[in-house]
Each structure stands twice: as C-alpha cells, then as structure tokens.
Amino acid sequence: LVDSRNLDDVLLVIEESTAKWRPVSVATAWHRLAKHSRGRGASARVQDAMKHLVQLRSESVQRSFGPRELSNIVWAWGKLQFHDDELLADASRTILNQLHSLRAQEISNVLYALGLLGADCPEFVEAICEHVRHRLAEFKTRELVNIVYALARLRFTHCTLLENACAVLLTQQSKFNEQDVANTIYALGLLNFRHDALLKMLCQRSVTRMGEFKPQGLANTAYGLGQLQFEHNELFEAMLAHSSSRLGQFTPQGIANIIYACGLLGFTDNAFLQEACEHMPGRLHEFLPQHVSNVVYALGLLEYTHNKFLEAVCDYTLHHVEDFKPQEISNIMYAFALLEYICEKFFRSLCDQLPE
C-alpha cells in the first residue's frame, strides 16, 4: 500500500486481502484509496473497496484505532464522499478525546473532511474550534485556510477562532498562493465574516497575480468580495480584464457569480459586461434558473442593457418557466423594470407563475 503508484495498485491489494489487518494498514488503505481515486470515487470498483475496508476495520486484529489513524480515515471519507453517520460518530468520539495528541495538519484534515461531507456534528466542530484557537501558532497557511473553508462549508461561525485565525493569516502574506487567496475570501463571504485588514492584504497581493488564478478561483474571489460588500476596484479591474478572454473556461455558475458580485458592489466594467453578454446566449442551456436570475438581477442593479442577451433570457425563461422559483422570477421582473426593458409575452408568462 505504501508503495502503491496508482488506483489499480491500491484496489488490487484491498480486493485480494484475506488476512486480518492491523489498524495502521486499514488507515493506510483508506488514505491511498482517496489519494489515487481523483474523482473516481463513485465507480463500482471503488465503492466495493470502501465496503471491504469497512469490513476490514470491524475485523481488525487490534480493534482500537488511534486518533492519528482515524484522522487519516476521516480525511479519506471526505475526499471519497463516503457517508456513514455511525462510523463518523464513533471516529469523532475517539478523536475528540485525544485531540491534544494530533498534529496541526491532522486536525485541519479532520475539519476539512467534515466540511466536504457536510457533516451534521456541531458539538464536535465546536470542540475542535475551541481546541484549535489555543494552538494557532502551530498551523501552516494552507492548514488554517482549510479550517476556515471547512467552517464555511458547514456554515459554522466561530467568531473567536475566525478572528484569531485571520489575524495569524495576516502575518503570512508571502505564503499564500492563488488557491489559498480564493478559498479564504470565498469562505469568509459564505460566513459573512468580514476582516478588512486580511481582505485588503489578499486583494493587494493578488492584483498583479491574476495569471496564476484558475477560472473557479477568480469566480470564488469575486463572489466572496461581493457577499462581504468589500470594494477593491483595482482588483476587480484586473479580475475582469483577465476573465474576459477566458469566459469559455468558466462554468455557468462562475460567470453568474462574477456578474452578481459586480452588481452587489455597483462595479461597472462595460467592456467585460459586453463580452459576457455576447458570450452567454450560446450557453444559456447550461445555466440553471438561479444563474440566469442572478445575472439579470445584477445587470438591473448596474443599469446595463444588452438587448441580445435579454432577448435570449426571455426565450430561455419562457421554455423553462416552471423551473423558476418565485423569488427568481421576482428578481428578473425587478431587473427588467430597472432597465425599462419590456417584452409583453414574457411578462404575461411570468405573471402566470406568481402565487395568487
């Protein structure tokens, strides 16, 4: 297992196992399975391997798994999206009782996994947060970023930990890469937790490094700043200039999030908006109703009219009107009113969808 080079190597060892395994071997198998799966966790063979590992754990020659082994297993569960409430609760109890024996990276990995799983264990998360805030000096930049990101995924706000973690991150400017920047800003946006000094540092550091950002990172950064109502015009100018030529690489949600953030911040860049509005009609079939609604709502706030795009939105909505929520319909109608854009057939169809 330790020398496994790919997923097939790991699966072969798991599938051919007959003897009882020690806990460290079970933990290593989970870790290597998660490491080499890389998005293939839903395959039948990997699913069977996970079931087999659960069985091996129950039959282990040494039933007592230590916190370090369990932290590796929980991390693997998060990466593999393996959900078993009973096993997770059992692992959590052991980890919680021996948090002091875990390294900073292992604690970060556990919390990160809980975020990936969307685990419903607020008492365990609270206990980890209380423990972490007394050991912040031990955590590296990526480990702290992953903790903040995990809390955002869990929608769990621990103000004391977040405040202290942001203060520590503020001193680690040189250690941030583009993914760390995007994940931090996005997470703070989801939590609606604004730390102006850290946000200013991250924005200033990123202005000249747009080429390092992936499309999702750009979209997440914009979205987080929009949610926090944090204005940094220089960064937005750089982000939009860099995004215009890469719109084909963005997901529909990514495009919608950038435009929505511009709307929330009242930031208008006509060149970008024109490029985006000319790009989107050919991809509207990829957009969810929420994406369409958010884009149109943002254009309304920015008072930006692009007839070709708005016509495409009308056609899209008329064909999918039953998929829209009342709030999404309301937002589109509000935006059209702001833009003084009238399509009689469109308005009649939308009005029919409103609650009586």
Side-chain angles (χ1 to χ4, degrees):
L1 284 171
V2 174
D3 297 327
S4 58
R5 295 169 297 177
N6 53 51
L7 180 59
D8 285 336
D9 287 350
V10 179
L11 291 172
L12 195 61
V13 174
I14 296 172
E15 290 166 351
E16 294 184 349
S17 63
T18 54
K20 294 182 178 180
W21 286 21
R22 293 177 299 135
V24 65
S25 298
V26 177
T28 301
W30 273 109
H31 185 274
R32 294 299 187 274
L33 186 62
K35 178 181 177 181
H36 292 299
S37 290
R38 297 184 180 181
R40 289 178 286 175
S43 71
R45 197 175 173 199
V46 173
Q47 291 289 315
D48 287 341
M50 288 193 282
K51 293 176 184 177
H52 192 45
L53 286 176
V54 171
Q55 185 65 26
L56 285 173
R57 180 177 183 270
S58 67
E59 296 174 351
S60 174
V61 293
Q62 180 186 348
R63 294 296 298 278
S64 178
F65 280 71
R68 183 156 290 120
E69 293 150 352
L70 288 174
S71 70
N72 286 335
I73 291 174
V74 172
W75 174 83
W77 290 346
K79 298 295 283 187
L80 291 165
Q81 286 297 290
F82 175 80
H83 295 266
D84 189 307
D85 293 342
E86 185 177 345
L87 286 177
L88 182 59
D90 182 54
S92 299
R93 283 190 291 270
T94 301
I95 292 171
L96 184 58
N97 290 332
Q98 301 185 54
L99 271 176
H100 62 278
S101 68
L102 290 180
R103 294 188 291 262
Q105 181 182 357
E106 292 163 340
I107 296 174
S108 175
N109 285 349
V110 168
L111 201 50
Y112 184 68
L114 296 179
L116 293 179
L117 291 170
D120 183 18
C121 49
E123 294 176 355
F124 183 43
V125 175
E126 174 74 25
I128 293 178
C129 289
E130 282 298 314
H131 180 83
V132 167
R133 73 185 185 93
H134 297 293
R135 295 177 57 183
L136 283 173
E138 302 175 33
F139 288 80
K140 297 178 181 178
T141 302
R142 173 59 62 83
E143 293 161 358
L144 282 178
V145 170
N146 283 350
I147 286 174
V148 175
Y149 181 76
L151 294 178
R153 293 277 302 235
L154 295 167
R155 300 300 194 272
F156 190 95
T157 302
H158 191 290
C159 292
T160 303
L161 174 59
L162 288 171
E163 186 69 38
N164 293 342
C166 287
V168 172
L169 288 171
L170 187 58
T171 68
Q172 300 179 356
Q173 175 177 346
S174 63
K175 298 178 182 178
F176 275 84
N177 63 23
E178 52 81 22
Q179 184 179 346
D180 296 326
V181 172
N183 284 356
T184 300
I185 294 176
Y186 180 68
L188 294 177
L190 290 179
L191 291 168
N192 195 28
F193 187 89
R194 182 164 162 161
H195 191 286
D196 284 11
L198 178 61
L199 291 170
K200 182 178 180 181
M201 181 273 283
L202 294 176
C203 289
Q204 290 176 335
R205 177 173 174 74
S206 302
V207 169
T208 59
R209 301 174 64 184
M210 288 291 97
E212 301 174 18
F213 281 71
K214 296 177 182 178
Q216 184 177 353
L218 292 170
N220 286 351
T221 299
Y223 182 82
L225 294 174
Q227 292 298 304
L228 293 168
Q229 293 285 289
F230 187 86
E231 298 181 10
H232 197 286
N233 291 346
E234 189 178 6
L235 177 63
F236 258 81
E237 289 172 3
M239 276 198 298
L240 298 186
H242 197 76
S243 300
S244 290
S245 61
R246 304 172 64 188
L247 286 172
Q249 301 173 28
F250 282 79
T251 64
Q253 183 177 359
I255 296 173
N257 282 353
I258 289 181
I259 297 174
Y260 186 61
C262 289
L264 293 179
L265 291 168
F267 186 88
T268 302
D269 184 315
N270 288 333
F272 171 77
L273 292 176
Q274 180 176 344
E275 192 74 29
C277 287
E278 291 178 356
H279 173 83
M280 285 185 287
R283 293 183 62 189
L284 272 184
H285 63 281
E286 302 175 32
F287 282 63
L288 296 176
Q290 182 183 3
H291 302 153
V292 175
S293 175
N294 285 351
V295 169
V296 177
Y297 179 73
L299 294 179
L301 295 179
L302 296 171
E303 299 181 355
Y304 183 86
T305 301
H306 191 285
N307 288 326
K308 178 183 176 182
F309 173 67
L310 295 179
E311 290 169 5
V313 167
C314 292
D315 291 338
Y316 172 92
T317 308
L318 288 174
H319 285 91
H320 300 88
V321 67
E322 68 281 355
D323 298 327
F324 281 79
K325 298 177 182 177
Q327 183 63 56
E328 293 163 351
I329 292 175
S330 175
N331 286 348
I332 291 177
M333 295 181 72
Y334 177 69
F336 279 8
L338 291 176
L339 296 171
E340 298 182 354
Y341 182 82
I342 298 175
C343 177
E344 186 173 344
K345 180 180 178 181
F346 175 77
F347 271 98
R348 286 178 178 174
S349 181
L350 288 185
C351 286
D352 289 342
Q353 297 298 310
L354 294 177
E356 295 183 359

